[in-house]
Amino acid sequence: METAAMMAALDRQRIETPSWGYGNSGTRFKTFPAPGAARDVWEKIADAAEVHRLTGIAPSVALHIPWDRCEDWAALRRFAAERGIAIGAINPNVFQDDAYRLGSLAHPDEAVRERAVAHLLECVTIMAQTGSRDLSLWFADGTNYAGQDDLRARRRRMRAGLARVAAALAPGQRLLIEYKFFEPAFYFTDLFDWGAALAHAQALGPQAQVLVDLGHHPQGANIEAIVAFLLAEGKLGGFHFNARRYADDDLIVGSTNPLELFAIYAELVAAEADPETAACAGAVAYMIDQSFNIEPKIEGMIASVLNCQEAYAKALLVDRAALAAAQAAGDVLGAHRILVDAFRTDVRPLLEAWRRAHNLPPDPLAAHRSGAYLADITRTRPRASAASGYPG
Ligand code: PSV
Ligand code: MN
């Protein structure tokens, strides 16, 4: 791709950051409170604005309800807009109440299912008040033992609940269905893979799409192939970017598997250029789903956003015509080399030039480390509560 076209494509890239990445978080062993960690949704939005100010490509923040519940959504929306931030996806939480021990929408007891639907519908009203487009759904529903519950009945209940939520969406709003093959249930998870999510999304209609979280697959799953398939079906709605080595580790995206992140972006760039998939690819929500347990949080978030930018820039460099010719000729290693050539290119000088052209700091991480914002929050938020963020 020509440099001018690349610069224009980089201008269009967007990454949404998660409110829960800015608060204290931990593992089930320990939450270490971090100096300066955001303590409420206002501070989380302020931190998200700092990430956007330095990177230029992170202009929205996803909220998790009830962690981010607030008295006055209009005021929160204004507060965010004043800082150049829009409210992104709304993430309901139907996994932390005592009632949800056996699930939420798939629970055997109708009263619990109703409670879950009521919360999801409340989140749809929050979308209207915050200007959010996407309702991002993840369910901890599942079972721990063979025979514990009727699997077909659970599927039916899940479908019925999802259908009620889909019916409540306004035009232009979407429902994203996130799958995960294990955890917290260990025998069976109701939305265990992309096929289950896709089947529900197809039955629910055009406003329902699938969300791919990079940490939610078994070891060795080919995520870029899943991405290509969902794009071709017109059903890829969004991403939760992060990195994993062992389980759902929520590490900095691209830190353990840069080739995988590049290959995913390469599929997206190809789909953007293909008239059959361009509309779906153009509407994908690129979101980060990470929590930083021992890393400085804003620094970790900036690094994550930059890793996505780097992977995207490399994907733009793929010589598509040469690749198509090598593939058509059955040139196995020639085609592979063309793809990997792009991955091996050092795009850092180009991205530095892009930042300079937009009056952004050439090194956003260094700018953050030495900047006034970090000094200020470290001084003025001295006693962040260990319970203010993702509980881990
Ligand atoms: C579940 O592991 C998940 O990926 C879902 O997206 C939740 O909303 C999020 O993590 C909470 O951190
Ligand atoms: Mn997720």
Side-chain angles (χ1 to χ4, degrees):
M1 191 180 273
E2 300 289 314
T3 307
M6 252 190 100
M7 291 293 194
L10 288 169
D11 286 352
R12 292 191 297 273
Q13 190 186 17
R14 295 285 176 267
I15 306 290
E16 182 163 308
T17 67
S19 68
W20 54 97
Y22 298 107
N24 279 319
S25 62
T27 65
R28 64 184 191 277
F29 303 105
K30 169 74 178 165
T31 294
F32 298 103
R39 294 161 297 178
D40 57 32
V41 65
W42 308 87
E43 292 181 354
K44 291 171 186 175
I45 287 177
D47 289 358
E50 170 70 355
V51 174
H52 180 48
R53 188 180 70 79
L54 294 170
T55 63
I57 59 167
S60 63
V61 62
L63 300 185
H64 220 299
I65 314 297
W67 300 340
D68 297 322
R69 201 191 289 285
C70 121
E71 294 296 308
D72 186 344
W73 292 111
L76 188 75
R77 189 178 178 178
R78 258 193 327 273
F79 175 85
E82 282 161 16
R83 287 157 182 77
I85 293 289
I87 305 298
I90 299 296
N91 291 250
N93 179 324
V94 283
F95 49 87
Q96 278 189 314
D97 289 0
D98 291 345
Y100 299 134
R101 189 169 63 91
L102 301 180
S104 61
L105 288 190
H107 197 286
D109 181 345
E110 190 184 349
V112 178
R113 298 201 294 276
E114 285 302 317
R115 181 193 178 111
V117 168
H119 175 63
L120 299 175
L121 295 178
E122 181 206 349
C123 286
V124 175
T125 67
I126 293 174
M127 290 168 77
Q129 294 171 73
T130 54
S132 162
R133 178 188 61 166
D134 294 329
L135 184 70
S136 191
L137 299 178
W138 175 73
F139 299 94
D141 290 50
T143 64
N144 270 4
Y145 296 96
Q148 179 189 320
D149 199 0
D150 179 331
L151 302 187
R152 285 177 303 127
R154 290 188 71 92
R155 183 201 145 280
R156 231 178 3 252
R157 297 174 205 140
M158 175 62 73
R159 172 69 58 82
L162 288 173
R164 286 173 63 190
V165 180
L169 295 176
Q173 290 182 336
R174 306 188 307 172
L175 173 158
L176 306 181
I177 305 173
E178 180 174 359
Y179 58 91
K180 179 172 181 175
F181 79 111
F182 85 114
E183 203 190 40
F186 293 117
Y187 168 68
F188 164 74
T189 297
D190 284 275
L191 296 172
F192 52 90
D193 71 5
W194 64 274
L198 177 62
H200 283 304
Q202 280 173 336
L204 294 170
Q207 283 170 277
Q209 306 232 291
V210 179
L211 185 144
V212 177
D213 183 315
L214 270 51
H216 289 192
H217 305 83
Q219 202 77 275
N222 184 330
I223 302 177
E224 55 270 31
I226 296 170
V227 167
F229 199 97
L230 290 173
L231 281 164
E233 293 290 336
K235 282 295 188 186
L236 181 70
F239 281 99
H240 272 178
F241 283 136
N242 50 54
R244 70 181 287 270
R245 184 174 291 278
Y246 300 108
D248 186 17
D249 303 336
D250 282 348
L251 295 171
I252 289 175
V253 57
S255 61
T256 60
N257 46 6
L259 181 64
E260 178 186 73
L261 184 62
F262 161 78
I264 289 169
Y265 265 112
E267 289 303 329
L268 287 152
V269 168
E272 278 172 2
D274 177 348
E276 269 185 34
T277 48
C280 181
V284 166
Y286 294 90
M287 301 177 280
I288 287 173
D289 179 5
Q290 292 170 193
S291 45
F292 306 100
N293 302 339
I294 59 168
E295 313 91 316
K297 294 167 201 308
I298 298 177
E299 188 174 333
M301 202 65 87
I302 293 170
S304 309
V305 170
L306 297 180
N307 282 358
C308 291
Q309 189 178 41
E310 204 170 302
Y312 181 52
K314 290 180 177 196
L316 293 170
L317 284 176
V318 174
D319 184 338
R320 293 272 151 209
L323 182 63
Q327 289 171 342
D331 182 356
V332 176
L333 291 184
H336 175 63
R337 204 155 41 238
I338 288 164
L339 195 75
V340 172
D341 266 351
F343 174 64
R344 290 203 179 123
T345 308
D346 184 0
V347 293
R348 287 173 298 180
L350 178 111
L351 292 176
E352 211 178 291
W354 179 85
R355 280 186 204 108
R356 286 187 199 284
H358 291 82
N359 289 322
L360 292 163
D363 182 345
L365 281 170
H368 169 66
R369 278 185 167 224
S370 61
Y373 188 83
L374 180 62
D376 186 51
I377 61 169
T378 311
R379 189 169 42 80
T380 59
R381 300 178 188 167
R383 283 191 304 273
S385 134
S388 65
Y390 179 47

